[in-house]
Amino acid sequence: MLQVKELQKIFRVGGNEVAALGGVTQGVEEGEFFVLLGPSGSGKTTLLRCVAGLETPDGGEIEIDGTTVFAGSQGISAPPEDRKIGMVFQSYAIWPHMTVFQNVALPLTRGRKKIDKSLVRERVHESLKLVQLEDYAERPSPLLSGGQQQRVALARALAVNPKLLLMDEPLSNLDARLREEMRVQIRELAKRLNITVLYVTHDQVEAMVVADRIAVMSLGAIVSVGSPEELYEGPANRVVAEFFGSINWLDGETRAEGAVETRLGTLKTPHTDRPGLTGTLGIRPEDLEMSAAPTGRDNEFPGELVSRTYLGDLFVHEVRVAGTLLQVKTMDKAPVSDTVYVTLPKERLKFFPQSA
């Protein structure tokens, strides 16, 4: 459905050049919900805007539904209205002087590819019904809640029957509870309609909820691509690991037979890296285990319980082990004693050599 090849975008500010995209190549399959995830400045929104035709790349190619819409070497650069796309912006871009109906009908009545007036009402009604706003057609836009405005923007994007739906941080202006509801609704709608979605977010939880696949971006490049499970359970490097939730890091050096020497002591791991490699061991807080008494398991160390934070569905504990603070997440309260025993299950440890 979408193919991006060696896409480059350079921003020039004064005498300086910043490579926002450094030769990005990536494909998105038909009907796939594909998420671009990364911090501010990683290039994710620039990539989305290049696909939309709102930014002109400095090189590379973009193909949508079998049609080349940009090719720098051939001088091809199709305008946004010729790219078979719908787009939902972070700000929603709802016209305050129009009703809900008029906002959704706008691209059908004012765009270059107008449709017959007799079909406009039917198309708008269908789009509003998809987002459960069919009873709000005549309501003035300023009287809508944030979530309703977001759904109007989505209905407007769907009204043009896009081959590709582009969404740029569409939920960032909503409160936490509404974000949770809307991300589930957006994914369910996309799957029901078999729409291909390219979705930008900086929120790793949001990305994991909606995505079939996620591309993690950093400094204008895609550093890793995979399903949410693949990226969380088997990150390719530290950048990816750190972007998917909190993690405990321990510098270390590999020894024989899958052992790594760290400041806690020697840890047994499932890795078979050659001895003498320096790097970092990582383990997520929810993978650590804590008990009031020693169990005799591998990688078990005594520690001092420093703090405990209650988050409703879990507890976050800080435990000092050999002078190092470790974060431990559990479903239950910590033992009453200040002295606890922390186990780092070897199958949950991930070793990243210094170059990774």
Side-chain angles (χ1 to χ4, degrees):
M1 169 56 71
L2 171 66
Q3 293 292 329
V4 174
K5 301 176 183 176
E6 293 297 326
L7 204 65
Q8 301 176 30
K9 178 61 183 177
I10 298 173
F11 289 109
R12 295 169 178 84
V13 182
N16 299 320
E17 292 187 348
V18 178
L21 297 175
V24 173
T25 297
Q26 183 59 50
V28 179
E29 300 297 325
E30 184 172 357
E32 186 174 27
F33 205 121
F34 193 90
V35 173
L36 301 175
L37 175 67
S40 297
S42 61
K44 58 188 186 299
T45 293
T46 299
L47 177 55
L48 187 86
R49 289 176 62 84
C50 286
V51 172
L54 302 177
E55 297 281 358
T56 302
D58 292 292
E61 298 180 9
I62 302 172
E63 182 182 295
I64 299 176
D65 194 31
T67 300
T68 299
V69 297
F70 177 82
S73 61
Q74 302 174 46
I76 299 173
S77 185
E81 58 267 29
D82 291 339
R83 297 195 178 199
K84 305 176 183 178
I85 63 169
M87 187 160 183
V88 180
F89 297 90
Q90 181 177 0
S91 62
Y92 313 143
I94 299 299
W95 293 101
H97 64 287
M98 293 183 176
T99 65
V100 168
F101 181 92
Q102 291 168 333
N103 265 285
V104 177
L106 191 65
L108 304 176
T109 59
R110 302 289 182 87
R112 278 178 53 184
K113 295 185 177 181
K114 300 177 184 178
I115 69 171
D116 190 278
K117 289 184 179 180
S118 63
L119 299 176
V120 171
R121 181 163 294 277
E122 179 183 350
R123 185 79 67 81
V124 171
H125 178 74
E126 289 175 353
S127 297
L128 288 175
K129 189 175 181 180
L130 287 172
V131 298
Q132 301 174 7
L133 286 178
E134 62 268 33
D135 295 332
Y136 291 75
E138 301 307 319
R139 180 168 295 193
S141 299
L143 300 183
L144 299 175
S145 68
Q148 289 168 337
Q149 290 187 47
Q150 190 271 346
R151 284 188 280 163
V152 171
L154 179 56
R156 184 176 55 196
L158 295 174
V160 299
N161 290 334
K163 293 290 185 180
L164 176 65
L165 181 60
L166 307 176
M167 308 188 79
D168 185 11
E169 302 271 12
L171 307 182
S172 61
N173 292 330
L174 304 180
D175 62 61
R177 182 173 180 179
L178 190 53
R179 278 202 308 271
E180 290 183 9
E181 295 175 359
M182 289 306 304
R183 63 198 184 198
V184 173
Q185 291 177 20
I186 287 173
R187 177 173 171 83
E188 289 178 347
L189 180 60
K191 289 303 174 185
R192 177 153 51 90
L193 299 177
N194 195 35
I195 297 175
T196 306
V197 180
L198 184 63
Y199 188 105
V200 163
T201 184
H202 65 275
D203 186 328
Q204 57 93 5
V205 174
E206 186 174 300
M208 294 179 75
V209 170
V210 301
D212 294 317
R213 283 194 299 159
I214 300 171
V216 180
M217 296 193 68
S218 178
L219 302 176
I222 292 177
V223 297
S224 190
V225 179
S227 69
E229 293 84 0
E230 290 169 342
L231 295 178
Y232 190 86
E233 296 292 340
N237 51 52
R238 283 193 58 163
V239 172
V240 178
E242 288 177 336
F243 215 90
F244 283 86
S246 54
I247 191 165
N248 295 294
W249 292 113
L250 295 168
D251 293 332
E253 182 175 329
T254 58
R255 297 287 189 256
E257 298 180 354
V260 178
E261 191 65 34
T262 74
R263 56 183 178 270
L264 301 187
T266 302
L267 293 173
K268 294 183 178 180
T269 77
H271 306 284
T272 56
D273 300 281
R274 69 178 185 273
L277 286 179
T278 57
T280 311
L281 273 177
I283 185 167
R284 298 202 180 275
E286 62 269 26
D287 290 332
L288 290 168
E289 298 176 10
M290 190 165 55
S291 60
T295 64
R297 298 175 59 190
D298 290 335
N299 300 343
E300 184 178 66
F301 302 92
E304 175 193 359
L305 182 62
V306 176
S307 69
R308 178 176 65 226
T309 303
Y310 177 58
L311 298 181
D313 56 343
L314 53 81
F315 293 87
V316 179
H317 316 275
E318 280 195 326
V319 181
R320 184 176 287 108
V321 178
T324 299
L325 277 180
L326 298 178
Q327 191 178 82
V328 185
K329 292 182 180 179
T330 67
M331 300 297 292
D332 304 311
K333 291 184 180 180
V336 177
S337 172
D338 289 339
T339 300
V340 295
Y341 292 83
V342 177
T343 300
L344 292 74
K346 61 181 181 181
E347 66 276 6
R348 307 304 297 171
L349 287 166
K350 298 173 178 63
F351 181 72
F352 299 94
Q354 205 164 44
S355 58

